[in-house]
Amino acid sequence: MSATKPSARVRAPELAGRDWINTGGERIALAELRGRIVLLDFWTSGCVNCLHVLDELRPLEDEFADVLVTIGVHSPKFQHEGEAAAIEAAVSRYGVGHPVLNDPDLTTWQQYAVKAWPTLVLIDPEGYVVHTAAGEGHGEALRRVLTELVAAHEAKGTLRRGGSPYVPAEESEAELRFPSKAVSTVEGRVLVADTAHHSVVEFASDGETVIRRFGSGERGSADGAFDRASFTEPSGITLLPAEVAEKVGYHAVVADTAGHLLRGIDLRTGEVSTVAGTGKQWRDGADSGKAREVDLTSPWDVTWWTPAGGVVVAMAGNHTLGLFDPITGTISRFAGTTVEGLRDGDAAEAFFAQTSGLAVQGGKLWLADAETSALRWIQPEGDGFTVHTAVGTDLFSFGHRDGKAAEALLQHPLGVAVLPDGSIGIADTYNGAIRRYDPASGEVSTLADGLAEPSGLLVTDDVLLVVESAAHRLRSLPDAAARKVAGDAHAVRRPPTVLAPGKLEFSVVFAPPPGEKLDDRYGPSTRLEISASPPELLAEGAGVTTELTRTIRLAEGVTDGVLQIVAQAASCDDGAEHPACRVTRQDWGVPVRLRQGADSSLRLILAGQGGS
């Protein structure tokens, strides 16, 4: 395992970017924050791990409110994410309560040598970088580091309390606020996940008249009557077959995304109940068993699929699909390995990347795989299920291009639906478009564009309803002839890491936070998994080991690709009789370019002192 060593203090680079949000229009310089502890959160709005970190930071921001200034540095992966309006919408959607810098050209990202979304950097009151952590699950570690920093700088007289540059933006009221998905009931009514209002709304068949609302509007996980229950950023909804609903006592299953739960709604009584999840986010260990005893992680969409025998759950938080059986009250891994990427084949070995939309077409289950900008499907084959890809290639290829599926490009799609003619509609969210894939011809076309982040589609009586999330509404899409957009591929602003082909010394740095030690009570405390896209990029060194260092070999003759790295470390309180333990985990997709004479080592920080 690689450990951090004391090094020369590094002065924090100045913050450079384009726009400031949540500051009342004022720019912030680090010199103005001298005396305060500054936490930089490098994030991007489409990254589910970044959304997890926003929730992890909320209690720390409250606890250390008089000494800590959090600044979100929004460093976009997708072209759409770099637009000021898109970032403002994301800040509002997710209730970000601190200043945010738009860093569209990744200037500040590069100055801090960041290599992963999310990355956290702590700057002490004297302006020096003192701690860096990549990934999620660092809440308790940050609390301990902050506590030490407060004590040390209070003793030195270098700590300044009070004052905040945060200025909340004004919010406009509407019936819906950043809705996600919609389904229709057997009576023809429309259920909509009203995400930022933390509720589910039942509309009449016109999609405009509100019948009732499930959820008080308060963020939470309370069960009970429709007006007292609470949700936390719900997204997908599915209806159970009538015979199943009769047995279990509820009709709809809701993916309560930020609550890490599945909720059931009895449409007769309005009662809301928790049917799967503990409310804790899954980080490691078992993800199968009794549904109320298994941790979930950001379930984004749900659908009943008869070939699987239950509700398939798009578990966006760890890039897998789950299977929930309402009758037995169990949940299990259905597909995926937790590695973020795109790999077809046997469902248990396939790679997914933040699957966010599901639709059933008989024996096929269609998937919108957001982070690979892909349209994929699963179907029964032999004794199991096999994953196929219709559109999409990898984590960093995206754009708006129609034509043959092999050349077509999407940009972070979140929704999918089967259209009346048997083709597949795609809510191509970051392109602001509705796309159409024809399985018969293998062609992709555009049905509509100019929409505000469409995230869900619903076909009712041959009418296509679009959940236009950033416009806070449902809208019907008029019949229109499909057209071809000959767009370009969009370039990821993140620069590739240039490495030499051949032998590469790879290491991940992890240092337990103050007061903790590595947890080796039940075996190795660390785990490292390395794969690549394309697979031939790695000549040697793929697979899983328990050490955070490894010698790998990059193939001669391959010019570029993506190293897919999953690292985790378990740590526990040191010296406690009943220690609290936690797992820190990060997935890196590192774009690399091979060039003779370049670096022959790569070092990533999971958690430790100083910069990367």
Side-chain angles (χ1 to χ4, degrees), residues 51-56 58-59 92-96 177 195-199 215-222 228-234 256-260 263:
L51 305 186
H52 294 162
V53 167
L54 290 176
D55 283 338
E56 289 175 10
R58 295 184 208 278
S92 177
R93 182 196 309 266
Y94 299 115
V96 178
R177 189 159 176 260
T195 303
H197 279 148
H198 309 297
S199 59
S216 64
E218 296 296 321
R219 185 185 180 99
S221 58
R228 296 185 179 181
S230 55
F231 296 85
T232 306
E233 298 177 20
D256 200 10
T257 304
H260 309 295
R263 316 293 293 282

Side-chain angles (χ1 to χ4, degrees), residues 451-514:
L451 304 177
E453 296 189 2
S455 61
L457 300 173
L458 174 62
V459 177
T460 61
D461 298 327
D462 293 342
V463 173
L464 182 61
L465 284 177
V466 179
V467 183
E468 196 176 5
S469 186
H472 316 293
R473 65 182 178 180
L474 293 180
R475 65 180 290 180
S476 58
L477 194 66
D479 289 337
R483 58 190 179 85
K484 297 287 181 67
V485 173
D488 295 324
H490 296 163
V492 177
R493 292 179 174 86
R494 174 182 177 179
T497 298
V498 181
L499 299 171
K503 183 179 176 182
L504 178 78
E505 297 299 332
F506 177 80
S507 63
V508 173
V509 173
F510 176 78

Side-chain angles (χ1 to χ4, degrees), residues 133-147:
E136 52 184 284
H138 298 288
E140 181 57 30
L142 287 172
R143 176 176 284 105
R144 295 179 185 222
V145 175
L146 286 167
T147 299

Side-chain angles (χ1 to χ4, degrees), residues 337 339-341 343 351 528-535 537-538 541-544 550 552 562-566 588-590:
T337 68
V339 173
E340 183 180 19
R343 185 170 77 183
F351 292 170
L528 176 65
E529 181 173 0
I530 301 178
S531 58
S533 176
L537 173 66
L538 268 180
V544 179
R550 188 184 305 181
I552 64 178
V562 178
L563 285 176
Q564 297 160 323
I565 300 151
V566 182
W588 284 273
V590 181

